[in-house]
Amino acid sequence: MPMRKDTAMRKVVERQTGVALWRQIADRIRLAISNGDYDATGMVPPETALAAEFGVNRHTVRSALAALAEEGLVRAVQGRGTMIERKERVSYPISKRTRFSQGLGRQVKEIGTRLLGHAELPATGEVARALDISPGDPVTELRTVSSGDGRPLSVSSSYYPAHRFPRMAEEFEQLHSVTKAFAAHGLDDYVRVSTEIVARHADAEELSMLKLSPGAIVLEALSTNADLDGRPVEYSRSRFAADRMKLKIET
Amino acid sequence: MPMRKDTAMRKVVERQTGVALWRQIADRIRLAISNGDYDATGMVPPETALAAEFGVNRHTVRSALAALAEEGLVRAVQGRGTMIERKERVSYPISKRTRFSQGLGRQVKEIGTRLLGHAELPATGEVARALDISPGDPVTELRTVSSGDGRPLSVSSSYYPAHRFPRMAEEFEQLHSVTKAFAAHGLDDYVRVSTEIVARHADAEELSMLKLSPGAIVLEALSTNADLDGRPVEYSRSRFAADRMKLKIET
DNA sequence: TATAGTTGTCTATATCAATAGACATTTGAG
DNA sequence: CTCAAATGTCTATTGATATAGACAACTATA
């Protein structure tokens, strides 16, 4: 059974699907940029070439490029072409010892985690199950946004058993690091025991927090960290902007 | 600054973003169904209620529900309401010893992997890097679709170094199992060394292979398996229907 | 057997998305 | 300087998307 090669084939976009062609094309070009398809020239192909490639009118391609320019991803110069300003998809490692800022180290110059708010609440069923405590037991919730080079990458809600880590919010506020906040409670090491990953469309809150446009995708990771005795110390629900991140799992 | 609760609030959809309102609403309802928001009644709220909730015309909600009905997710009955037919997400484990059919065992009754085609080709840069061979070295490509209970869950392209596993395609065709095909070449055990996960909109081929509706999301996993000496034996690119699967990472 | 509540269908209108073609403007290379 | 190649702007037309309102058809229940 011979297979057809996909090289230099006309890239198909679908019509009447509720997703405008210019948006589909913008998504595809964004992907091509992050895949490094245009690294040879550092430029996006000419509008006429893209129009032919996708089988659409040049104006439709222009709408797509305008959207990417709005995101700051490309910049068009009359007479020259459309240059790539920034490449996408930071790789986020998930391993036994996942630490947010470490893995991103070389990929982004400046990392920031901002505390949106914190609260002490009774554990819901989901949180209690993950932290191996009883439903209703007090947990500290930290809500954060993390950015790389000024662009939001993820929003997280993390939960800590309040009995064991009573000053989590205060320590984190001072130290700006979960690892250090744990250390302040006398916990020096912890490991990731499980992660569940789901992809879905972003909801309204995520769209605004991550500065995404509607129809955008989030990768949701539900993860549990435990101390070296296996007792869970953190449960968190992180939502990553899917077009800016990939997850790298090291087993 | 006190935070406003989102209960019973008007759910916002955005306009002029290249994503039709009916599709945004369909996505939100699909998410609500899979979250179990409507479990009390087993029905979607009435069209008029949804229209008020999203601040759109009833006809727009009807377009959204028609799309979900097309997917087989809901079924409308005149005079009664719109019933939920299906809500799911199969969990796919990723661990050191990831074997497709094993992990899904209890979740779906009947698993099928169908071979779409195979070929012997020179390794591209990406494949060569992953398999630690030279670009241009021959590799066997297997293209498969896997289904659970009759619904397609994933499409995969897998690559094997042809020198070491010369009969991969034939063995797989007979044995219907990668693990057994490896065994037939004298390889009894292998482990997963790395997995990269990306979420994006499905392209045209994926939409048709996975029987998805346009705008749907795929989870793409790029994974490498190696023998116990650390030599790569398989590189594969699997694309999962995101609204039917979640990935569970065990470290 | 009424009746309230729900989905189904129809008509009409306004706006957005996409196509088509023409031409202007800018850049870089010969 | 000239010209080819690229982006920028404009007009016009068509089809999809969204709104609005009215009413038909069906279901469950009081």
Side-chain angles (χ1 to χ4, degrees):
Chain A
M1 183 163 36
M3 231 173 351
R4 204 172 50 175
K5 270 295 229 181
D6 285 59
T7 50
M9 256 183 59
R10 188 145 160 290
K11 289 173 187 166
V12 184
V13 282
E14 309 219 343
R15 290 150 199 264
Q16 295 170 26
T17 62
V19 183
L21 292 183
W22 64 264
R23 177 152 287 285
Q24 296 184 49
I25 290 169
D27 291 342
R28 301 274 293 264
I29 295 175
R30 193 192 297 104
L31 184 62
I33 290 174
S34 81
N35 281 349
D37 291 0
Y38 307 138
D39 282 4
T41 59
M43 301 181 75
V44 172
E47 293 169 355
T48 48
L50 288 170
E53 192 176 349
F54 289 108
V56 301
N57 192 275
R58 181 175 153 235
H59 293 293
T60 309
V61 168
R62 283 179 61 73
S63 299
L65 290 174
L68 295 178
E70 184 70 26
E71 294 178 30
L73 208 66
V74 300
R75 187 165 49 87
V77 177
Q78 194 172 35
R80 286 185 63 193
T82 302
M83 278 153 294
I84 295 168
E85 293 281 278
R86 181 154 44 72
K87 290 186 37 170
E88 300 271 302
R89 275 198 222 244
V90 178
S91 176
Y92 178 65
I94 293 182
S95 62
K96 262 203 148 30
R97 287 185 167 66
T98 294
R99 305 290 184 268
F100 187 75
S101 41
Q102 284 179 17
L104 302 180
R106 282 183 304 282
Q107 304 181 64
V108 289
K109 285 193 284 294
E110 173 244 323
I111 300 168
T113 298
R114 192 163 58 87
L115 185 64
L116 292 176
H118 60 87
E120 183 146 334
L121 333 146
T124 62
E126 178 194 5
V127 172
R129 222 175 0 248
L131 291 178
D132 197 16
I133 58 180
S134 307
D137 281 4
V139 292
T140 303
E141 177 190 40
L142 298 185
R143 286 166 45 91
T144 55
V145 185
S146 296
S147 308
D149 296 335
R151 297 177 349 115
L153 297 176
S154 71
V155 285
S156 301
S157 295
S158 302
Y159 302 89
Y160 308 88
H163 283 145
R164 184 162 176 201
F165 306 104
R167 305 179 312 281
M168 205 63 203
E170 296 77 5
E171 300 286 3
F172 181 85
E173 225 160 357
Q174 281 202 354
L175 305 167
H176 289 92
S177 153
V178 168
T179 306
K180 288 177 187 165
F182 273 139
H185 286 88
L187 175 68
D188 290 322
D189 196 11
Y190 59 99
V191 295
R192 181 158 298 206
V193 289
S194 95
T195 307
E196 277 193 359
I197 293 174
V198 161
R200 54 175 173 76
H201 290 99
D203 66 25
E205 187 204 7
E206 289 153 359
L207 291 178
S208 90
M209 299 299 313
L210 294 173
K211 295 189 181 134
L212 296 169
S213 36
I217 301 173
V218 291
L219 273 164
E220 179 173 82
L222 304 170
S223 57
T224 308
N225 281 306
D227 63 20
L228 300 185
D229 298 330
R231 281 182 303 172
V233 296
E234 178 190 56
Y235 175 63
S236 71
R237 180 162 156 271
S238 298
R239 286 146 296 167
F240 299 92
D243 59 353
R244 296 175 199 154
M245 303 284 290
K246 61 183 173 186
L247 308 181
K248 188 179 175 85
I249 293 146
E250 285 146 354
T251 50
Chain B
M1 183 169 43
M3 231 173 356
R4 209 169 46 172
K5 272 295 227 183
D6 283 61
T7 50
M9 251 182 62
R10 188 146 162 289
K11 288 174 187 165
V12 184
V13 282
E14 310 212 352
R15 287 149 201 265
Q16 294 170 19
T17 60
V19 183
L21 294 183
W22 64 263
R23 176 151 289 284
Q24 295 184 49
I25 291 168
D27 292 341
R28 300 274 294 266
I29 296 174
R30 191 192 299 103
L31 183 62
I33 290 174
S34 83
N35 281 348
D37 291 1
Y38 306 139
D39 281 5
T41 59
M43 300 179 76
V44 172
E47 293 168 357
T48 48
L50 289 169
E53 191 176 349
F54 289 108
V56 300
N57 191 277
R58 180 176 152 234
H59 294 293
T60 309
V61 169
R62 282 179 62 75
S63 299
L65 291 175
L68 296 177
E70 185 71 27
E71 293 178 32
L73 211 64
V74 300
R75 187 166 49 87
V77 176
Q78 195 174 59
R80 286 185 64 192
T82 302
M83 278 154 293
I84 294 168
E85 292 282 277
R86 181 158 44 74
K87 48 169 281 198
E88 54 188 308
R89 232 168 216 180
V90 179
S91 176
Y92 178 64
I94 293 182
S95 62
K96 261 202 150 34
R97 285 184 167 68
T98 293
R99 304 291 184 268
F100 187 75
S101 42
Q102 284 179 17
L104 301 180
R106 281 183 304 282
Q107 303 180 65
V108 288
K109 285 192 285 293
E110 172 245 324
I111 299 168
T113 297
R114 191 162 59 87
L115 184 64
L116 293 177
H118 60 86
E120 183 146 331
L121 336 144
T124 62
E126 177 194 5
V127 171
R129 228 180 348 257
L131 291 179
D132 197 17
I133 59 181
S134 307
D137 281 3
V139 292
T140 303
E141 178 188 39
L142 297 185
R143 286 165 46 90
T144 55
V145 186
S146 297
S147 308
D149 295 337
R151 296 185 342 123
L153 297 175
S154 71
V155 285
S156 301
S157 295
S158 301
Y159 302 89
Y160 307 88
H163 283 145
R164 184 160 175 205
F165 305 104
R167 305 179 313 280
M168 204 64 204
E170 296 76 3
E171 299 286 3
F172 181 85
E173 227 162 355
Q174 282 202 353
L175 303 166
H176 289 92
S177 154
V178 169
T179 306
K180 288 178 187 164
F182 274 140
H185 286 87
L187 175 69
D188 289 323
D189 197 9
Y190 58 99
V191 295
R192 180 158 298 206
V193 289
S194 95
T195 307
E196 279 193 359
I197 293 174
V198 161
R200 55 175 172 76
H201 291 102
D203 67 24
E205 188 205 6
E206 290 153 359
L207 290 178
S208 89
M209 300 298 315
L210 294 173
K211 294 189 183 139
L212 295 169
S213 39
I217 302 173
V218 292
L219 272 164
E220 178 173 83
L222 304 170
S223 57
T224 307
N225 281 306
D227 62 21
L228 301 186
D229 298 331
R231 282 182 302 173
V233 296
E234 177 189 58
Y235 174 63
S236 69
R237 178 163 157 272
S238 299
R239 289 147 293 168
F240 299 93
D243 60 352
R244 295 173 200 157
M245 303 284 290
K246 61 182 175 186
L247 307 181
K248 187 179 177 85
I249 292 146
E250 285 145 354
T251 51

Short mmCIF file of all heavy atoms in Angstrom, two decimals, chain A residues 15 20-22 56-60 78-80, chain C residues 17-28:
data_model
loop_
_atom_site.label_atom_id
_atom_site.label_comp_id
_atom_site.label_asym_id
_atom_site.label_seq_id
_atom_site.Cartn_x
_atom_site.Cartn_y
_atom_site.Cartn_z
N ARG A 15 -13.75 25.30 5.16
CA ARG A 15 -14.71 26.39 5.16
C ARG A 15 -15.96 26.03 5.92
O ARG A 15 -16.26 24.88 6.15
CB ARG A 15 -15.06 26.76 3.71
CG ARG A 15 -13.89 27.43 3.00
CD ARG A 15 -13.87 27.15 1.54
NE ARG A 15 -12.54 27.40 0.96
CZ ARG A 15 -12.18 28.53 0.38
NH1 ARG A 15 -13.04 29.52 0.29
NH2 ARG A 15 -10.97 28.69 -0.08
N ALA A 20 -13.00 31.28 11.09
CA ALA A 20 -12.71 32.04 9.88
C ALA A 20 -11.41 31.55 9.26
O ALA A 20 -10.48 31.16 9.96
CB ALA A 20 -12.63 33.52 10.21
N LEU A 21 -11.36 31.59 7.92
CA LEU A 21 -10.17 31.13 7.22
C LEU A 21 -8.94 31.90 7.68
O LEU A 21 -7.88 31.31 7.89
CB LEU A 21 -10.34 31.32 5.71
CG LEU A 21 -11.39 30.44 5.04
CD1 LEU A 21 -11.39 30.69 3.55
CD2 LEU A 21 -11.11 28.99 5.33
N TRP A 22 -9.07 33.22 7.86
CA TRP A 22 -7.88 34.00 8.24
C TRP A 22 -7.34 33.53 9.59
O TRP A 22 -6.14 33.52 9.81
CB TRP A 22 -8.17 35.49 8.23
CG TRP A 22 -9.19 35.99 9.22
CD1 TRP A 22 -10.51 36.20 9.01
CD2 TRP A 22 -8.95 36.34 10.59
NE1 TRP A 22 -11.12 36.65 10.16
CE2 TRP A 22 -10.18 36.75 11.14
CE3 TRP A 22 -7.81 36.34 11.41
CZ2 TRP A 22 -10.31 37.17 12.47
CZ3 TRP A 22 -7.96 36.76 12.73
CH2 TRP A 22 -9.18 37.17 13.24
N VAL A 56 -6.33 30.39 -1.05
CA VAL A 56 -7.25 31.47 -0.71
C VAL A 56 -6.79 32.77 -1.36
O VAL A 56 -5.71 32.83 -1.94
CB VAL A 56 -7.34 31.68 0.82
CG1 VAL A 56 -7.81 30.42 1.51
CG2 VAL A 56 -6.00 32.14 1.38
N ASN A 57 -7.61 33.77 -1.21
CA ASN A 57 -7.28 35.08 -1.76
C ASN A 57 -6.19 35.74 -0.93
O ASN A 57 -6.05 35.49 0.26
CB ASN A 57 -8.54 35.94 -1.73
CG ASN A 57 -8.35 37.20 -2.55
OD1 ASN A 57 -7.83 38.19 -2.05
ND2 ASN A 57 -8.76 37.16 -3.80
N ARG A 58 -5.43 36.60 -1.60
CA ARG A 58 -4.35 37.28 -0.90
C ARG A 58 -4.87 38.10 0.30
O ARG A 58 -4.21 38.19 1.33
CB ARG A 58 -3.61 38.19 -1.88
CG ARG A 58 -2.47 38.93 -1.25
CD ARG A 58 -1.68 39.75 -2.25
NE ARG A 58 -1.06 40.86 -1.55
CZ ARG A 58 -1.21 42.13 -1.89
NH1 ARG A 58 -1.93 42.46 -2.93
NH2 ARG A 58 -0.63 43.07 -1.18
N HIS A 59 -6.04 38.70 0.15
CA HIS A 59 -6.59 39.51 1.24
C HIS A 59 -6.81 38.68 2.50
O HIS A 59 -6.66 39.16 3.61
CB HIS A 59 -7.91 40.14 0.81
CG HIS A 59 -7.75 41.16 -0.27
ND1 HIS A 59 -7.09 42.35 -0.07
CD2 HIS A 59 -8.13 41.16 -1.56
CE1 HIS A 59 -7.10 43.04 -1.21
NE2 HIS A 59 -7.71 42.34 -2.14
N THR A 60 -7.19 37.42 2.29
CA THR A 60 -7.42 36.53 3.43
C THR A 60 -6.10 36.27 4.16
O THR A 60 -6.05 36.31 5.40
CB THR A 60 -8.04 35.21 2.95
OG1 THR A 60 -9.17 35.51 2.14
CG2 THR A 60 -8.47 34.36 4.11
N GLN A 78 6.89 47.18 3.86
CA GLN A 78 6.51 47.34 2.47
C GLN A 78 7.75 47.24 1.57
O GLN A 78 8.77 47.84 1.86
CB GLN A 78 5.85 48.70 2.27
CG GLN A 78 5.13 48.82 0.96
CD GLN A 78 4.32 50.09 0.86
OE1 GLN A 78 4.71 51.12 1.37
NE2 GLN A 78 3.19 50.02 0.19
N GLY A 79 7.62 46.47 0.52
CA GLY A 79 8.73 46.33 -0.41
C GLY A 79 9.68 45.20 -0.08
O GLY A 79 10.33 44.65 -0.97
N ARG A 80 9.77 44.87 1.23
CA ARG A 80 10.72 43.81 1.59
C ARG A 80 10.04 42.47 1.84
O ARG A 80 10.34 41.48 1.21
CB ARG A 80 11.50 44.20 2.87
CG ARG A 80 12.53 45.27 2.62
CD ARG A 80 13.34 45.53 3.87
NE ARG A 80 14.10 44.37 4.29
CZ ARG A 80 14.69 44.28 5.49
NH1 ARG A 80 14.57 45.25 6.37
NH2 ARG A 80 15.38 43.21 5.79
P DA C 17 -15.22 38.94 10.72
OP1 DA C 17 -14.73 38.06 11.80
OP2 DA C 17 -14.50 40.19 10.39
"O5'" DA C 17 -15.34 38.07 9.40
"C5'" DA C 17 -16.19 36.92 9.41
"C4'" DA C 17 -15.97 36.12 8.15
"O4'" DA C 17 -16.67 36.75 7.05
"C3'" DA C 17 -14.53 35.95 7.68
"O3'" DA C 17 -14.43 34.65 7.14
"C2'" DA C 17 -14.37 37.04 6.62
"C1'" DA C 17 -15.76 37.07 6.01
N9 DA C 17 -16.22 38.35 5.49
C8 DA C 17 -16.08 39.57 6.07
N7 DA C 17 -16.64 40.55 5.39
C5 DA C 17 -17.20 39.91 4.29
C6 DA C 17 -17.93 40.39 3.19
N6 DA C 17 -18.24 41.68 3.03
N1 DA C 17 -18.33 39.50 2.27
C2 DA C 17 -18.01 38.20 2.45
N3 DA C 17 -17.33 37.63 3.45
C4 DA C 17 -16.94 38.56 4.34
P DA C 18 -13.05 34.11 6.53
OP1 DA C 18 -13.03 32.63 6.69
OP2 DA C 18 -11.96 34.93 7.11
"O5'" DA C 18 -13.14 34.42 4.99
"C5'" DA C 18 -13.93 33.58 4.16
"C4'" DA C 18 -13.88 34.09 2.75
"O4'" DA C 18 -14.48 35.40 2.69
"C3'" DA C 18 -12.48 34.25 2.14
"O3'" DA C 18 -12.31 33.27 1.15
"C2'" DA C 18 -12.45 35.69 1.61
"C1'" DA C 18 -13.93 36.07 1.59
N9 DA C 18 -14.18 37.49 1.75
C8 DA C 18 -13.71 38.33 2.72
N7 DA C 18 -14.11 39.57 2.60
C5 DA C 18 -14.89 39.55 1.45
C6 DA C 18 -15.60 40.55 0.77
N6 DA C 18 -15.64 41.82 1.17
N1 DA C 18 -16.27 40.19 -0.35
C2 DA C 18 -16.23 38.91 -0.75
N3 DA C 18 -15.60 37.88 -0.20
C4 DA C 18 -14.94 38.28 0.91
P DT C 19 -11.11 33.33 0.10
OP1 DT C 19 -10.86 31.96 -0.37
OP2 DT C 19 -10.04 34.15 0.67
"O5'" DT C 19 -11.76 34.13 -1.10
"C5'" DT C 19 -12.98 33.65 -1.67
"C4'" DT C 19 -13.35 34.52 -2.87
"O4'" DT C 19 -13.69 35.84 -2.39
"C3'" DT C 19 -12.22 34.70 -3.88
"O3'" DT C 19 -12.68 34.30 -5.16
"C2'" DT C 19 -11.88 36.19 -3.81
"C1'" DT C 19 -13.17 36.79 -3.28
N1 DT C 19 -13.00 38.04 -2.52
C2 DT C 19 -13.64 39.17 -2.91
O2 DT C 19 -14.36 39.20 -3.90
N3 DT C 19 -13.42 40.28 -2.14
C4 DT C 19 -12.63 40.36 -1.01
O4 DT C 19 -12.51 41.41 -0.39
C5 DT C 19 -11.97 39.13 -0.63
C7 DT C 19 -11.09 39.10 0.58
C6 DT C 19 -12.18 38.05 -1.38
P DA C 20 -11.65 34.16 -6.37
OP1 DA C 20 -12.24 33.15 -7.30
OP2 DA C 20 -10.30 33.93 -5.83
"O5'" DA C 20 -11.67 35.58 -7.06
"C5'" DA C 20 -12.91 36.20 -7.40
"C4'" DA C 20 -12.64 37.58 -7.97
"O4'" DA C 20 -12.67 38.55 -6.90
"C3'" DA C 20 -11.28 37.73 -8.65
"O3'" DA C 20 -11.47 37.92 -10.04
"C2'" DA C 20 -10.64 38.94 -7.99
"C1'" DA C 20 -11.80 39.59 -7.25
N9 DA C 20 -11.42 40.26 -6.00
C8 DA C 20 -10.72 39.73 -4.96
N7 DA C 20 -10.52 40.56 -3.96
C5 DA C 20 -11.11 41.73 -4.40
C6 DA C 20 -11.24 43.00 -3.81
N6 DA C 20 -10.75 43.31 -2.60
N1 DA C 20 -11.90 43.95 -4.51
C2 DA C 20 -12.39 43.65 -5.71
N3 DA C 20 -12.33 42.49 -6.38
C4 DA C 20 -11.67 41.56 -5.65
P DG C 21 -10.22 38.00 -11.05
OP1 DG C 21 -10.70 37.55 -12.37
OP2 DG C 21 -9.06 37.36 -10.42
"O5'" DG C 21 -9.94 39.56 -11.13
"C5'" DG C 21 -11.03 40.45 -11.32
"C4'" DG C 21 -10.57 41.88 -11.15
"O4'" DG C 21 -10.44 42.18 -9.74
"C3'" DG C 21 -9.19 42.18 -11.77
"O3'" DG C 21 -9.33 43.25 -12.68
"C2'" DG C 21 -8.31 42.52 -10.58
"C1'" DG C 21 -9.33 43.04 -9.58
N9 DG C 21 -8.90 42.98 -8.19
C8 DG C 21 -8.31 41.92 -7.54
N7 DG C 21 -8.02 42.17 -6.30
C5 DG C 21 -8.43 43.48 -6.11
C6 DG C 21 -8.37 44.31 -4.96
O6 DG C 21 -7.93 44.03 -3.85
N1 DG C 21 -8.91 45.57 -5.20
C2 DG C 21 -9.43 45.98 -6.40
N2 DG C 21 -9.90 47.22 -6.46
N3 DG C 21 -9.49 45.22 -7.49
C4 DG C 21 -8.98 44.00 -7.27
P DA C 22 -8.11 43.71 -13.62
OP1 DA C 22 -8.67 43.91 -14.96
OP2 DA C 22 -6.95 42.81 -13.41
"O5'" DA C 22 -7.74 45.12 -12.99
"C5'" DA C 22 -8.79 46.01 -12.63
"C4'" DA C 22 -8.20 47.17 -11.85
"O4'" DA C 22 -7.98 46.75 -10.49
"C3'" DA C 22 -6.85 47.65 -12.39
"O3'" DA C 22 -6.90 49.05 -12.65
"C2'" DA C 22 -5.87 47.31 -11.28
"C1'" DA C 22 -6.77 47.29 -10.04
N9 DA C 22 -6.27 46.44 -8.97
C8 DA C 22 -5.83 45.15 -9.06
N7 DA C 22 -5.42 44.64 -7.92
C5 DA C 22 -5.59 45.68 -7.01
C6 DA C 22 -5.34 45.77 -5.64
N6 DA C 22 -4.85 44.78 -4.90
N1 DA C 22 -5.64 46.95 -5.03
C2 DA C 22 -6.13 47.94 -5.77
N3 DA C 22 -6.41 47.97 -7.08
C4 DA C 22 -6.12 46.79 -7.65
P DC C 23 -5.71 49.73 -13.49
OP1 DC C 23 -6.33 50.81 -14.28
OP2 DC C 23 -4.87 48.70 -14.12
"O5'" DC C 23 -4.86 50.41 -12.33
"C5'" DC C 23 -5.52 51.24 -11.38
"C4'" DC C 23 -4.65 51.44 -10.18
"O4'" DC C 23 -4.53 50.21 -9.43
"C3'" DC C 23 -3.20 51.87 -10.50
"O3'" DC C 23 -2.96 53.09 -9.84
"C2'" DC C 23 -2.35 50.75 -9.93
"C1'" DC C 23 -3.27 50.24 -8.81
N1 DC C 23 -2.92 48.90 -8.29
C2 DC C 23 -2.80 48.71 -6.91
O2 DC C 23 -3.03 49.68 -6.16
N3 DC C 23 -2.46 47.50 -6.41
C4 DC C 23 -2.23 46.48 -7.25
N4 DC C 23 -1.90 45.31 -6.73
C5 DC C 23 -2.34 46.64 -8.66
C6 DC C 23 -2.68 47.85 -9.13
P DA C 24 -1.65 53.92 -10.11
OP1 DA C 24 -2.05 55.18 -10.74
OP2 DA C 24 -0.63 53.05 -10.74
"O5'" DA C 24 -1.18 54.23 -8.61
"C5'" DA C 24 -2.17 54.52 -7.63
"C4'" DA C 24 -1.52 54.43 -6.25
"O4'" DA C 24 -1.40 53.04 -5.87
"C3'" DA C 24 -0.13 55.03 -6.16
"O3'" DA C 24 -0.01 55.77 -4.97
"C2'" DA C 24 0.79 53.83 -6.18
"C1'" DA C 24 -0.06 52.77 -5.50
N9 DA C 24 0.22 51.39 -5.92
C8 DA C 24 0.10 50.88 -7.18
N7 DA C 24 0.42 49.61 -7.27
C5 DA C 24 0.77 49.27 -5.98
C6 DA C 24 1.22 48.06 -5.41
N6 DA C 24 1.36 46.93 -6.10
N1 DA C 24 1.49 48.06 -4.09
C2 DA C 24 1.33 49.18 -3.39
N3 DA C 24 0.92 50.38 -3.81
C4 DA C 24 0.66 50.35 -5.14
P DT C 25 1.30 56.62 -4.67
OP1 DT C 25 0.92 57.72 -3.77
OP2 DT C 25 2.01 56.85 -5.94
"O5'" DT C 25 2.17 55.60 -3.81
"C5'" DT C 25 1.68 55.18 -2.53
"C4'" DT C 25 2.72 54.28 -1.89
"O4'" DT C 25 2.77 53.02 -2.61
"C3'" DT C 25 4.14 54.84 -1.91
"O3'" DT C 25 4.64 54.80 -0.59
"C2'" DT C 25 4.90 53.91 -2.85
"C1'" DT C 25 4.10 52.62 -2.70
N1 DT C 25 4.17 51.66 -3.84
C2 DT C 25 4.51 50.36 -3.58
O2 DT C 25 4.76 49.94 -2.47
N3 DT C 25 4.53 49.54 -4.69
C4 DT C 25 4.27 49.91 -5.99
O4 DT C 25 4.33 49.08 -6.89
C5 DT C 25 3.93 51.28 -6.19
C7 DT C 25 3.64 51.77 -7.57
C6 DT C 25 3.89 52.09 -5.12
P DT C 26 5.99 55.55 -0.16
OP1 DT C 26 5.79 56.16 1.17
OP2 DT C 26 6.45 56.38 -1.31
"O5'" DT C 26 7.02 54.36 0.01
"C5'" DT C 26 6.75 53.37 1.00
"C4'" DT C 26 7.60 52.15 0.74
"O4'" DT C 26 7.25 51.58 -0.55
"C3'" DT C 26 9.10 52.41 0.67
"O3'" DT C 26 9.69 51.83 1.81
"C2'" DT C 26 9.56 51.74 -0.65
"C1'" DT C 26 8.36 50.89 -1.03
N1 DT C 26 8.16 50.70 -2.49
C2 DT C 26 8.27 49.43 -3.00
O2 DT C 26 8.53 48.45 -2.32
N3 DT C 26 8.05 49.34 -4.36
C4 DT C 26 7.75 50.37 -5.23
O4 DT C 26 7.59 50.18 -6.43
C5 DT C 26 7.66 51.67 -4.62
C7 DT C 26 7.34 52.88 -5.47
C6 DT C 26 7.86 51.78 -3.28
P DT C 27 11.27 52.00 2.10
OP1 DT C 27 11.47 51.92 3.55
OP2 DT C 27 11.76 53.18 1.34
"O5'" DT C 27 11.91 50.71 1.42
"C5'" DT C 27 11.44 49.42 1.83
"C4'" DT C 27 12.10 48.36 0.98
"O4'" DT C 27 11.59 48.43 -0.36
"C3'" DT C 27 13.62 48.49 0.87
"O3'" DT C 27 14.20 47.35 1.47
"C2'" DT C 27 13.90 48.60 -0.64
"C1'" DT C 27 12.61 48.09 -1.26
N1 DT C 27 12.22 48.71 -2.55
C2 DT C 27 12.01 47.90 -3.65
O2 DT C 27 12.15 46.69 -3.62
N3 DT C 27 11.63 48.57 -4.80
C4 DT C 27 11.45 49.93 -4.95
O4 DT C 27 11.12 50.41 -6.03
C5 DT C 27 11.69 50.71 -3.76
C7 DT C 27 11.52 52.20 -3.82
C6 DT C 27 12.06 50.07 -2.63
P DG C 28 15.78 47.25 1.65
OP1 DG C 28 16.04 46.40 2.84
OP2 DG C 28 16.33 48.61 1.57
"O5'" DG C 28 16.25 46.44 0.35
"C5'" DG C 28 15.66 45.18 0.10
"C4'" DG C 28 16.17 44.64 -1.22
"O4'" DG C 28 15.59 45.41 -2.31
"C3'" DG C 28 17.69 44.75 -1.40
"O3'" DG C 28 18.14 43.55 -2.03
"C2'" DG C 28 17.86 45.97 -2.31
"C1'" DG C 28 16.60 45.87 -3.17
N9 DG C 28 16.14 47.13 -3.72
C8 DG C 28 16.17 48.38 -3.14
N7 DG C 28 15.66 49.32 -3.89
C5 DG C 28 15.27 48.66 -5.05
C6 DG C 28 14.66 49.16 -6.23
O6 DG C 28 14.33 50.31 -6.49
N1 DG C 28 14.43 48.14 -7.16
C2 DG C 28 14.76 46.82 -6.97
N2 DG C 28 14.47 46.00 -7.98
N3 DG C 28 15.35 46.34 -5.87
C4 DG C 28 15.56 47.31 -4.96
#
